[in-house]
Amino acid sequence: MKLRADALRDCMDGAVPGVLCTCSADGIPNVAQLSQVQYVDPDHVALSYQFFNHTRRNVLANPRVAMILVHPWTARQYRFSMEYLRTETSGPLFECMRAKLAGIASHTGMSGVFRLLGSDVYRVLEIEALPGESLPAPARDLCLLAALRACSEAFSACGDLAALLEAALDGLARHFDLHHAMVLLLDAAGDRLYTVASRGYEASGVGAEIPVGQGIIGVAAREGVPIRIGHMTSEYTYGRAIRETVGQGVLADRLETEIPLPGLAAPGSQLAVPIQGPAGPLGVLFMESPAELRFTYDDEDAAVVFASHLGTAIRLLQADAEVPDELLPSAEPSVAGGRPVVVRHYTENDSVFLDGEYLIKGVAGSILWALLRDHLALGRTDFTNRELRLDPRVRLPDVSDNLEARLVLLGRRLEERGACIRLQKTGRGRFRLQVGCPLELADGPGKVATPG
Amino acid sequence: MNPPAPLLDPELAAFLEGGVSINVGARDSHRIPTLARALGCRVSTDRTRVTVFLSRRQASPLLEAIADNGAVAIVFTEPHSHRAIQIKAADAREVPLDPGDAHRVEAYRQAFVTEVGRLGFPEPLIRALLAAPLEDLTAVAFTPDSAHLQTPGPQAGAPLAGAR
């Protein structure tokens, strides 16, 4: 069978730099070492365009090039005959290469020197395996297909979103040997991602938000493309940058309403994969490892399939949760004693504080506020997803918003804070509010209103 | 009439003969490029001629292109520093090995293994990459027309000080 680029993707991960030969219009050859070769499809690869140099001038004048790549395990050399087609300066391929290049630059001490101006796309005309000595390729220590199969089976057995998210993070740890991961979902307004589950971090960071477009997670969501970095760089790490995006707006935003995004202090490799829905990403699956070059092209493929199954399961469960089981009569509200907890709500961003400590904001904040008001005024404890969706007090950004995910997020935050308020799932599309202490509700910064 | 001063100074000549990565490019009569990895380099004592060693089996399209028109470009890269020099010539041709060249190739392999060993590349991988049976070795000799700095960055492509 004719050699194709897809069989040689390991050669493109850059352990041994590739080399390119071009030729000017007047017949003078030029050789350049490549900083980045990106697989596009079996018949196309892309090279990074960083400087206007001989290579650039030559391919614009004469599109034929030759490239040698070396297999990082076997040492086999492959000579590619290729033809320059076009340069992309935005979009998924460009963003994916830009993120990777930043990692490569940082690893090789070339930060500030390497900057991607474009992704040059080449058609592969022929690939020749050069004669010579080679080493046997090592076998992988885990089978990606078997791991995927086990995870896919586990997803099918999950009856609700919380269980599904657990199964996903469990599966990554058990079957893929990946112990640091998180799932973020896209706010239906489309500008932010919120963390709904994580594994392998000191603090779960559930509720932490990232603007779309920021860092590798934000870029993966914006471009709908996996971003894989083998040598991590500060350019794409999180932390300070998130804080800087918080506006100096309303009072509630100036209070401490941030949940830090979890993350390894010194990641070696990261992979962010969009969780695709029918009309764009639903969210992002993010994985990282302290080891460099942990993720190969094959790992990326497996992660894309994993995220695709996860996305399908999320959508099925979401649709399911909107059709509640028959509502059971509310349990008698228990009368709790003890010191009252002050629940303060700020309308500007729906942030909620318990005894002055930040709990949650946004949609999940407005849900909690509505539940607590109904609980105190009407004595209600049992609720359905459907009534929340129709409730004008709950500011869902869009009909497609994943309400169940907001409830999972809210439930986790309450648990992590050790709050006397809990959410308990009581069936499909139904849940119960459990309140274990007296509450005083306060709207805005003023005095505590006397609760009902 | 005095012979022209050599393009290469002694420091640069030593760099080309050291444990650096060497890639040779050429092009055929249709200006279609080809390339091959070289297995070492020898600079003449007067520093006007450069010879690189190749595996004949790996470099056969390159040798055909050189036989056609003699135009070559060779990049010498030092992996740990990224220092890279590109030399161009118009008079390249395949030549027989000199006595002692087989030793030069073996010394080159050892120097390159040492150089990239510092970067974590295992010796067996590099030995396999640079392996070629003695009878498969050949050489290409040329007179450099130009030498350019190729280290990545805004200075890439600048003629070397002293270069014409």
Side-chain angles (χ1 to χ4, degrees):
Chain A
M1 196 176 128
K2 200 180 137 202
L3 259 180
R4 300 195 315 180
D6 52 330
L8 301 175
R9 298 189 302 175
D10 283 345
C11 301
M12 299 174 202
D13 274 341
V16 184
V19 183
L20 184 75
C21 184
T22 58
C23 179
S24 70
D26 52 355
I28 299 176
N30 189 79
V31 178
Q33 193 162 298
L34 298 168
S35 39
Q36 191 183 20
V37 182
Q38 171 72 33
Y39 173 76
V40 177
D41 65 38
D43 300 311
H44 298 86
V45 302
L47 308 181
S48 59
Y49 156 41
Q50 299 160 56
F51 307 102
F52 193 85
N53 52 19
H54 279 296
T55 294
R56 183 73 188 163
R57 268 191 290 279
N58 287 358
V59 296
L60 293 178
N62 171 14
R64 290 295 297 266
V65 304
M67 173 174 77
I68 286 186
L69 297 182
V70 178
H71 195 284
W73 305 113
T74 68
R76 175 74 71 198
Q77 298 183 65
Y78 297 90
R79 187 160 45 221
F80 289 58
S81 296
M82 308 195 296
E83 181 180 32
Y84 166 75
L85 293 181
R86 64 179 182 276
T87 299
E88 297 185 6
T89 56
S90 64
L93 175 66
F94 178 77
E95 292 297 340
C96 166
M97 290 183 71
R98 182 156 75 168
K100 255 190 213 181
L101 185 67
I104 294 165
S106 159
H107 177 66
T108 54
M110 287 288 170
S111 288
V113 176
F114 285 177
R115 189 171 68 88
L116 192 65
L117 298 178
S119 299
D120 287 350
V121 179
Y122 288 81
R123 176 184 293 127
V124 178
L125 304 173
E126 197 192 354
I127 304 173
E128 185 191 354
L130 300 189
E133 276 185 24
S134 64
L135 307 175
R140 271 199 76 119
D141 41 9
L142 65 89
C143 174
L144 292 172
L145 275 177
L148 266 181
R149 173 181 169 167
C151 291
S152 176
E153 284 169 358
F155 291 175
S156 306
C158 292
D160 63 52
L161 183 65
L164 177 67
L165 295 170
E166 281 299 301
L169 295 171
D170 272 351
L172 288 177
R174 279 186 59 199
H175 302 295
F176 288 92
D177 198 24
L178 288 169
H179 303 277
H180 308 281
M182 56 184 121
V183 177
L184 300 97
L185 293 179
L186 192 66
D187 188 299
D191 57 351
R192 306 186 78 75
L193 293 143
Y194 58 95
T195 309
V196 71
S198 77
R199 185 64 63 87
Y201 302 108
E202 205 167 306
S204 82
V206 161
E209 295 187 348
I210 299 175
V212 167
Q214 190 173 86
I216 89 162
I217 295 170
V219 172
R222 189 185 66 202
E223 302 296 332
V225 68
I227 307 276
R228 179 170 60 97
I229 300 183
H231 305 290
M232 269 315 294
T233 164
S234 55
E235 201 170 314
Y236 281 81
T237 52
Y238 291 96
R240 191 190 69 252
I242 307 277
R243 187 165 295 266
E244 285 168 359
T245 64
V246 174
Q248 278 100 51
V250 296
L251 171 67
D253 275 345
R254 294 201 297 273
L255 300 172
E256 187 57 57
T257 58
E258 281 180 73
I259 301 165
L261 188 77
L264 292 176
S269 309
Q270 294 187 332
L271 176 58
V273 180
I275 301 168
Q276 293 293 3
L282 301 174
V284 170
L285 172 67
F286 173 79
M287 293 149 279
E288 61 183 339
S289 164
E292 295 210 322
L293 296 171
R294 167 63 179 78
F295 302 110
T296 65
Y297 273 101
D298 285 348
D299 290 308
E300 180 183 313
D301 286 351
V304 168
V305 177
F306 182 98
S308 165
H309 280 243
L310 182 62
T312 305
I314 287 174
R315 285 192 291 128
L316 287 174
L317 291 173
Q318 184 182 351
D320 212 33
E322 303 288 316
V323 189
D325 292 339
E326 199 178 327
L327 191 57
L328 301 171
S330 274
E332 279 297 304
S334 56
V335 183
R339 188 186 63 80
V341 168
V342 177
V343 183
R344 193 177 295 277
H345 169 256
Y346 292 88
T347 313
E348 303 95 297
N349 61 356
D350 280 316
S351 55
V352 175
F353 293 72
L354 299 183
D355 276 343
E357 280 197 39
Y358 173 63
L359 175 72
I360 195 83
K361 67 180 173 185
V363 175
S366 73
I367 290 173
L368 180 62
W369 190 243
L371 297 177
L372 291 178
R373 281 170 66 187
D374 281 2
H375 175 67
L376 290 190
L378 308 170
R380 292 189 59 195
T381 54
D382 285 275
F383 299 88
T384 65
N385 289 19
R386 175 182 274 177
E387 67 176 306
L388 282 181
R389 185 171 292 286
L390 299 175
D391 191 330
R393 295 171 301 174
V394 176
R395 293 190 246 178
L396 282 177
D398 187 272
V399 287
S400 66
D401 195 84
N402 195 329
L403 181 60
E404 185 75 2
R406 307 287 188 176
L407 291 169
V408 168
L409 163 61
L410 177 58
R412 293 256 166 92
R413 280 294 291 167
L414 289 166
E415 276 169 36
E416 286 177 8
R417 285 289 314 278
C420 64
I421 307 164
R422 296 296 165 95
L423 296 184
Q424 183 203 0
K425 205 157 168 61
T426 47
R428 185 176 67 169
R430 293 193 288 109
F431 63 94
R432 180 168 295 153
L433 180 73
Q434 296 174 317
V435 178
C437 59
L439 300 176
E440 291 179 359
L441 303 193
D443 218 343
K447 255 185 63 181
V448 174
T450 309
Chain B
M1 196 173 91
N2 293 327
L7 187 71
L8 310 176
D9 65 26
E11 191 278 333
L12 188 51
F15 177 79
L16 304 187
E17 289 187 331
V20 292
S21 190
I22 308 171
N23 286 282
V24 185
R27 53 89 180 180
D28 71 8
S29 58
H30 305 289
R31 294 182 297 129
I32 296 175
T34 181
L35 80 165
R37 175 178 282 274
L39 306 172
C41 168
R42 160 162 56 80
V43 180
S44 64
T45 47
D46 65 0
R47 303 193 306 277
T48 61
R49 295 280 288 170
V50 175
T51 304
V52 292
F53 311 114
L54 294 152
S55 152
R56 191 180 282 114
R57 291 188 301 164
Q58 291 180 354
S60 56
L62 181 90
L63 296 170
E64 283 168 33
I66 287 171
D68 175 78
N69 58 70
V72 287
I74 306 94
V75 166
F76 299 78
T77 308
E78 185 173 51
H80 86 267
S81 66
H82 305 287
R83 181 186 181 194
I85 305 293
Q86 176 142 209
I87 288 180
K88 296 198 179 182
D91 67 346
R93 62 192 171 85
E94 190 174 356
V95 296
L97 296 183
D98 272 8
D101 281 348
H103 285 292
R104 282 193 177 83
V105 169
E106 192 42 46
Y108 168 76
R109 289 180 179 128
Q110 186 54 54
F112 194 63
V113 161
T114 304
E115 161 70 19
V116 297
R118 298 162 62 177
L119 302 178
F121 286 93
E123 176 163 353
L125 182 82
I126 302 305
R127 293 271 171 203
L129 177 67
L130 302 179
L134 191 56
E135 64 277 9
D136 182 42
L137 289 181
T138 187
V140 165
F142 51 87
T143 313
D145 287 332
S146 67
H148 288 84
L149 190 67
Q150 192 91 3
T151 308
Q155 300 301 312
L160 289 174
R164 291 168 301 189

